[in-house]
Amino acid sequence: MSAADSSLSENQFLCSICQDVFTDPVSTPCGHNFCKTCITQHWDSNVLYKCPNCNKMFSTRPELQVNTLVSEMVAHFRQSAQQKARSSSSEQQAAEPGDVPCDVCTGTKLKALKSCLVCLVSYCETHLEPHLTRSGLKRHQLIDPVENLEGRMCMKHDKPLELFCKTDQMCVCMFCTVLDHKTHEVVPLEEEYTRKKAEVEKTEAEIQQMIQKRRLKIQKFKRSVKVSRENTNRDIEDRNTVFTKLKEAIERNQTKVIKTIEENHKATEKRAEGFIKELKREISELNKRGAELQQLSHSGDHLDLVQNFKSSDAAPPTKNWTEVRVGPPSREGNERRTTVAQKLEMLKNEVKKLLTEIELKRVQQFAVDVTLNPDTAHPLLILSEDGKQVHCGLVRKNLPDNPKRFSTSIYVLGNQSVSTGRSYFEVQVKGKTSWVLGVARESANRRGIINFSPRNGYWTLRLKSENVYFAQTETRVPLSVESKPEKVGVFVDYEEGLVSFYDVDSGSLIHTFTGCSFTEKLLPFFCPCPNQDGINSAPLIICPVNHAE
């Protein structure tokens, strides 16, 4: 028999009365087949003789004969089924520790494929077949294999736990609902399963979302550590550069000071040598005169002594050495000390300038490409096409209302936000008599009168008029600026809470806001201030950063 015939026999060779494979199959006059015993007992218990399948009535009880063709086919089917079962058993996997074993298998227990909640038995693939083919067993509830099927039975009534009491939050059997849980809200177990499953899936999804958030947080922490390591290495390199240059500057100026001191010593030494030479000459003259006087004093010739000795010639002319000192005069000493002090002051200024240059070079490494956001610009402002320049015009443009736009103040924000790490940008302010620069919190007020202060979300530096600079806080902080900046650098360290402003050309620090607490994105802030009849018409220009070596 072909495989197709075998497949058909699984559905067609079942007796509709006993729901089992035919035994001694017989055929009725209407063409239906039954087990000989089944149809005989059926007609013995009924007065009318009719077919159980089609209900065709027979006037007399039909004489039944075994259908040899069907009988042979059934025998072949039984043989094929047995071979298939044996083959399937050999291919099935034996139960291992942790698996649910088949309760029917003898000898080697195979891995159960399903458990029946009606039979309270777990079946392997072979022994599960009757539950898949026999109509009576098909109505049994099959689940994935589980151990302790008895635990799924009501211990009180020995019936399946197929209902759920929502009042007591427990599984119950049918008898429980009539007795102990009569007034309680009871639903089918399948309904509660669907609800609980949806709740489990929701919770699982929430947990997965929490896991994902934490994984992202881990990645963020790792990135922060990596950035911190890079920044630390860069800072160490910068500090090494600073100390190397400081050492070079100190050594260079030390050499100059030592040279000056040595030159002063040589001048003193030369002066002393001149004095000594002159003193030796006088000593020689005095010795010569002393010898002459000694010879004269020993003479006994009265006339010779009187004639040759004159009082005015008693000693040769000499210099008064009482006030003569080897060191330089007081004025020269003061000049020497002044020269050394000047050189030390020059060293101090050089070190200060070197430190500011190194610091500016360090922050310039965090330069970002900033462009102006036209959606935030006040209608009087005129922006360049590349978004790098802004100045105040004379005609108010008719622009659509936008909640991002400054309504009453001539301000504009940048497109690029800062929410972590460090960033830096430079703006040319050359030719302007007033301007405001800095950063603003993304949610800071943009409507009506704006009070510039860190509390309101603005960290800004302002030139109000010629050489009048101040940091805008709750109370304005006047700033002392040595020279008028032509290019201003703005630096933000988000984690450290710093906003610093630099004079790029001189490399000096103008002002720093410290101790800031940033909790949201920061945006670059620009205000070119009113035109003032052309006096302040120059634009603010966002410049590319020149990373000076």
Side-chain angles (χ1 to χ4, degrees), residues 172-192:
V172 296
C173 70
M174 187 63 70
F175 283 0
C176 291
T177 63
V178 180
L179 301 173
D180 301 334
H181 301 263
K182 184 177 181 179
T183 60
H184 295 179
E185 183 182 0
V186 178
V187 296
L189 188 61
E190 184 178 355
E191 180 180 328
E192 182 64 16

Side-chain angles (χ1 to χ4, degrees), residues 39-307:
I39 191 62
T40 298
Q41 290 177 352
H42 178 73
W43 282 343
D44 286 345
S45 61
N46 289 279
V47 177
L48 299 177
Y49 306 124
K50 62 179 180 179
C51 175
N53 282 2
C54 65
N55 292 324
K56 181 177 177 58
M57 297 291 296
F58 304 111
S59 58
T60 59
R61 181 169 179 164
E63 184 178 349
L64 301 174
Q65 299 292 330
V66 175
N67 189 326
T68 56
L69 176 61
V70 175
S71 181
E72 290 176 0
M73 294 175 66
V74 168
H76 186 80
F77 164 72
R78 289 183 184 277
Q79 183 180 1
S80 298
Q82 291 174 356
Q83 292 177 352
K84 180 180 179 182
R86 286 193 296 270
S87 174
S88 176
S89 297
S90 63
E91 293 176 357
Q92 290 184 64
Q93 182 180 356
E96 297 180 356
D99 293 336
V100 177
C102 175
D103 295 324
V104 182
C105 289
T106 58
T108 302
K109 294 283 188 178
L110 298 181
K111 182 178 179 180
L113 188 64
K114 292 288 182 180
S115 294
C116 178
L117 294 179
V118 179
C119 303
L120 297 181
V121 175
S122 296
Y123 298 101
C124 65
E125 184 178 355
T126 301
H127 295 120
L128 181 65
E129 186 173 356
H131 278 73
L132 304 176
T133 58
R134 297 183 184 181
S135 60
L137 297 177
K138 283 182 178 180
R139 291 191 292 270
H140 290 192
Q141 185 177 357
L142 298 176
I143 61 172
D144 289 335
V146 294
E147 294 180 340
N148 189 25
L149 286 169
E150 291 78 6
R152 296 174 177 269
M153 301 294 289
C154 177
M155 297 180 66
K156 188 173 183 180
H157 304 112
D158 197 26
K159 296 295 180 183
L161 298 172
E162 52 189 0
L163 299 170
F164 182 79
C165 176
K166 300 184 74 172
T167 304
D168 292 339
Q169 291 292 301
M170 62 182 296
C171 296
V172 296
C173 70
M174 187 63 70
F175 283 0
C176 291
T177 63
V178 180
L179 301 173
D180 301 334
H181 301 263
K182 184 177 181 179
T183 60
H184 295 179
E185 183 182 0
V186 178
V187 296
L189 188 61
E190 184 178 355
E191 180 180 328
E192 182 64 16
Y193 164 81
T194 302
R195 189 186 70 81
K196 285 280 180 67
K197 184 179 180 183
E199 187 176 338
V200 168
E201 290 175 348
K202 179 183 177 183
T203 304
E204 183 185 8
E206 290 174 352
I207 290 174
Q208 291 300 323
Q209 189 175 10
M210 293 170 65
I211 291 172
Q212 184 63 20
K213 286 182 178 179
R214 280 151 181 78
R215 285 175 176 169
L216 292 175
K217 200 68 176 179
I218 289 173
Q219 293 177 2
K220 185 175 181 180
F221 286 154
K222 287 182 177 179
R223 284 196 297 269
S224 297
V225 171
K226 182 181 178 182
V227 171
S228 176
R229 180 73 267 172
E230 292 173 351
N231 292 340
T232 299
N233 292 339
R234 193 156 39 222
D235 289 346
I236 291 173
E237 183 180 349
D238 290 342
R239 295 301 182 269
N240 287 336
T241 302
V242 169
F243 290 126
T244 299
K245 291 190 176 181
L246 280 175
K247 181 181 177 182
E248 292 174 353
I250 291 172
E251 290 175 349
R252 184 169 56 252
N253 283 274
Q254 181 185 24
T255 302
K256 292 179 181 178
V257 171
I258 291 174
K259 183 180 179 181
T260 300
I261 295 172
E262 287 291 343
E263 288 175 350
N264 290 334
H265 169 70
K266 287 180 179 179
T268 300
E269 187 178 35
K270 185 176 181 181
R271 185 181 181 87
E273 289 175 353
F275 290 157
I276 291 171
K277 184 177 181 180
E278 189 174 353
L279 286 167
K280 287 181 177 180
R281 181 184 60 78
E282 288 186 355
I283 290 172
S284 178
E285 292 292 332
L286 290 171
N287 285 331
K288 182 179 178 182
R289 185 60 175 165
E292 291 176 353
L293 291 175
Q294 186 178 17
Q295 183 178 1
L296 188 63
S297 67
H298 288 88
S299 174
D301 189 344
H302 298 150
L303 179 62
D304 182 60
L305 176 65
V306 171
Q307 289 180 338

Side-chain angles (χ1 to χ4, degrees), residues 11-35:
N11 298 316
Q12 296 183 358
F13 292 163
L14 297 178
C15 174
S16 61
I17 297 176
C18 68
Q19 297 297 321
D20 203 349
V21 180
F22 293 128
T23 302
D24 296 330
V26 294
S27 299
T28 61
C30 58
H32 294 108
N33 298 312
F34 303 93
C35 295

